[in-house]
Amino acid sequence: EKGDTHIFVVLGASGDLAKKKIYPTLWSLYRDGLIPKKTIFVGYARSKLTVHDIRNKSEPYLKVRDEEKEKVNAFFKMNHYVSGSYDMPEDFLQLNQEICKYEMGSHCNRLFYLALPPNVFESSTTNIRNHCMASKGWTRIIIEKPFGRDSESSTQLSNHLNALFKEEELYRIDHYLGKEMVQNLMALRFGNRIFGPTWNREHISCVMVSFKEPFGTQGRGGYFDSFGIVRDVMQNHMLQMLSLVAMEKPVSTGAEDIRDEKVKVLRCMPEVKLEDVVLGQYIGNPSGEGEAKEGYLDDPSVPKGSTTATYAMVTCYVNNERWEGVPFFLRCGKALNERKAEVRIQYRDVPGDIFHGESKRNELVIRVQPGEAVYVKMMNKTPGMSFNIEETELDLTYGSRYKGLVMPDAYERLILDVFCGSQIHFVRSDELAQAWRIFTPILHKIETENVKPVTYTYGTRGPKEADELCQNKGFKFYGTY
Ligand code: BG6
């Protein structure tokens, strides 16, 4: 409500995530007047810092235009900072006292963003529960992965959180759910008549979800090595995209109805098997074209001889009436040839082709980034005298269709959703448990049997074995995506 005070607490305010993502997001929301006027920001971390230090750290990431200088000063005036540890109740009592100073009016809500390493998730949430809950309004907790590293550790964290908070107080971020095109998947599917009737195993041959990054671990090798690409990207971001492609139409656009359908998709998915996986690790290309790039093992923060995968492709199945037998390929990798995230729905061949085998399969492509677009690959008569056909596209590229549109960042949408109390784009605990069920056996197997990834060169499309695997399962390549 309008006059309410909101206190937004950033735990881990001195860290990387806070300076690169959280403060810039809070600034944009403040600048654009999207969050309630009476919102106060309180940073919390171990180091003895001041708001001035926080400002210095985050300012390079804020993207302040010249004419916004005043406004950014005003934003930092709304900021405060408290130092304290994550396991000392006294420190959280002090944080609570600080928060109370700024709470005015009859309704005061509190949001806690945990921009923290996972080893302090439990102690800090216990302390929030015991000492910092709002007494005159709601409290919401925003947490970000890693939510454990397998079923067991994730269940432990979920049990811990569920004992402290109600599900509606917990906002588990998967920032892919904040992306325009990921949100658009439901609009495309359920807001159009043309896709629905063919959205099934009768008509769709395969689904390919891709995530490609053109850079390596960039000094994050330590964190990355203990997780690997499957935990970092596939078990969360990519599986979310798969669920939105595969789910049945929800009863409504309400958060529980949507999440119920997503969970059902996951429940129909068998555990991933080793023979359906290709793992890769990049090596350097010192003499390659362009800039010399270092291999994964050349990163000093990566343990010597590490067999952690930086690339993975898996074939998943959704064994229900709609999808049984349709392979869903999830492909993701670092240090590849380009930055791209997309969903590609490949239809079956046209039956009874009269065009001498020239018809190519239709594809519906949803490009998540960069350059948001939806396009349909389709056959068309080559214009002119001949009666040949050729492949072309029905093209909805946002850059040309919605000129001048500035797309909000995923974090901006998601943090705004937390203010509004909308959990549509957040991960429910049963959804998380299902995601781990699908990937835990294979992750354990890879680790206990020390399965070695194949190598691929920095800046290439990744292991050829991945292309072979999806081709063998029925995917047709018409280009080099
Ligand atoms: C994060 C991963 O969740 O997503 C990173 O930890 C990855 O490794 C990032 O780079 C990708 O996000 P985006 O929004 O840049 O595609």
Side-chain angles (χ1 to χ4, degrees), residues 143-159:
I143 42 174
E144 195 154 349
K145 74 166 205 295
F147 305 121
R149 49 180 297 109
D150 55 12
S151 288
E152 205 190 333
S153 49
S154 177
T155 305
Q156 191 191 328
L157 176 63
S158 290
N159 289 345

Side-chain angles (χ1 to χ4, degrees), residues 355-391:
F355 293 105
H356 321 292
E358 275 172 43
S359 304
K360 292 181 180 163
R361 291 177 175 180
N362 291 129
E363 287 181 340
L364 167 64
V365 184
I366 295 101
R367 195 195 302 136
V368 176
Q369 64 192 34
E372 289 86 348
V374 181
Y375 57 95
V376 180
K377 292 266 192 190
M378 55 180 285
M379 302 308 294
N380 197 42
K381 180 184 161 305
T382 309
M385 289 295 204
S386 82
F387 194 51
N388 298 330
I389 58 169
E390 62 180 27
E391 188 188 51

Side-chain angles (χ1 to χ4, degrees), residues 199-249:
W199 206 263
N200 55 47
R201 60 200 296 275
E202 297 304 318
H203 298 279
I204 291 175
S205 152
C206 337
V207 176
M208 169 92 82
V209 184
S210 310
F211 166 101
K212 302 170 77 179
E213 280 182 339
F215 46 82
T217 41
Q218 290 184 319
R220 271 171 93 222
Y223 151 80
F224 187 87
D225 197 75
S226 60
F227 285 87
I229 195 80
V230 174
R231 290 185 175 97
D232 189 44
V233 173
M234 191 181 273
Q235 179 267 354
N236 36 70
H237 306 328
M238 306 201 66
L239 203 53
Q240 283 293 344
M241 292 192 269
L242 181 154
S243 305
L244 290 164
V245 170
M247 71 195 256
E248 299 298 313
K249 186 190 279 192

Side-chain angles (χ1 to χ4, degrees), residues 345-357:
I345 317 281
Q346 188 170 78
Y347 286 78
R348 289 182 183 276
D349 292 320
V350 169
D353 181 24
I354 57 168
F355 293 105
H356 321 292

Side-chain angles (χ1 to χ4, degrees), residues 30-210:
Y30 173 86
R31 179 198 58 205
D32 299 340
L34 294 170
I35 47 178
K37 275 218 165 61
K38 285 202 256 163
T39 302
I40 309 286
F41 309 96
V42 180
Y44 184 90
R46 272 184 296 230
S47 335
K48 295 236 175 319
L49 300 176
T50 60
V51 171
H52 187 70
D53 301 322
I54 294 289
R55 178 171 183 165
N56 284 343
K57 277 169 180 279
S58 59
E59 209 152 11
Y61 301 95
L62 293 195
K63 294 188 216 121
V64 182
R65 292 182 285 255
D66 279 346
E67 66 275 18
E68 292 165 352
K69 291 255 158 69
E70 294 266 308
K71 214 165 197 180
V72 85
N73 289 336
F75 169 67
F76 280 105
K77 283 221 175 79
M78 307 293 264
N79 269 266
H80 301 273
Y81 182 84
V82 182
S83 72
S85 67
Y86 300 113
D87 51 5
M88 303 292 274
E90 309 83 275
D91 293 350
F92 279 80
L93 277 168
Q94 208 201 326
L95 171 64
N96 188 54
Q97 278 170 10
E98 183 78 11
I99 294 173
C100 289
K101 279 199 226 159
Y102 311 113
E103 288 188 326
M104 271 168 265
S106 52
H107 276 96
C108 303
N109 304 317
R110 299 181 179 187
L111 303 88
F112 292 86
Y113 198 110
L114 272 64
L116 294 173
N119 61 332
V120 292
F121 276 4
E122 296 203 358
S123 60
S124 48
T125 45
T126 303
N127 280 315
I128 293 171
R129 169 78 246 178
N130 292 341
H131 306 295
C132 297
M133 297 295 279
S135 56
K136 296 188 286 180
W138 46 252
T139 303
R140 295 181 182 149
I141 312 289
I142 311 163
I143 42 174
E144 195 154 349
K145 74 166 205 295
F147 305 121
R149 49 180 297 109
D150 55 12
S151 288
E152 205 190 333
S153 49
S154 177
T155 305
Q156 191 191 328
L157 176 63
S158 290
N159 289 345
H160 169 84
L161 293 171
N162 293 338
L164 301 177
F165 307 103
K166 296 196 226 60
E167 186 67 24
E168 62 265 29
E169 294 174 320
L170 290 170
Y171 288 74
R172 293 179 198 81
I173 285 206
D174 181 314
H175 80 284
Y176 265 63
L177 292 177
K179 293 192 187 263
E180 181 70 30
M181 279 301 155
V182 176
Q183 299 192 351
N184 193 31
L185 281 166
M186 275 187 51
L188 282 175
R189 290 192 53 201
F190 304 124
N192 291 298
R193 181 82 186 240
I194 52 171
F195 301 120
T198 55
W199 206 263
N200 55 47
R201 60 200 296 275
E202 297 304 318
H203 298 279
I204 291 175
S205 152
C206 337
V207 176
M208 169 92 82
V209 184
S210 310

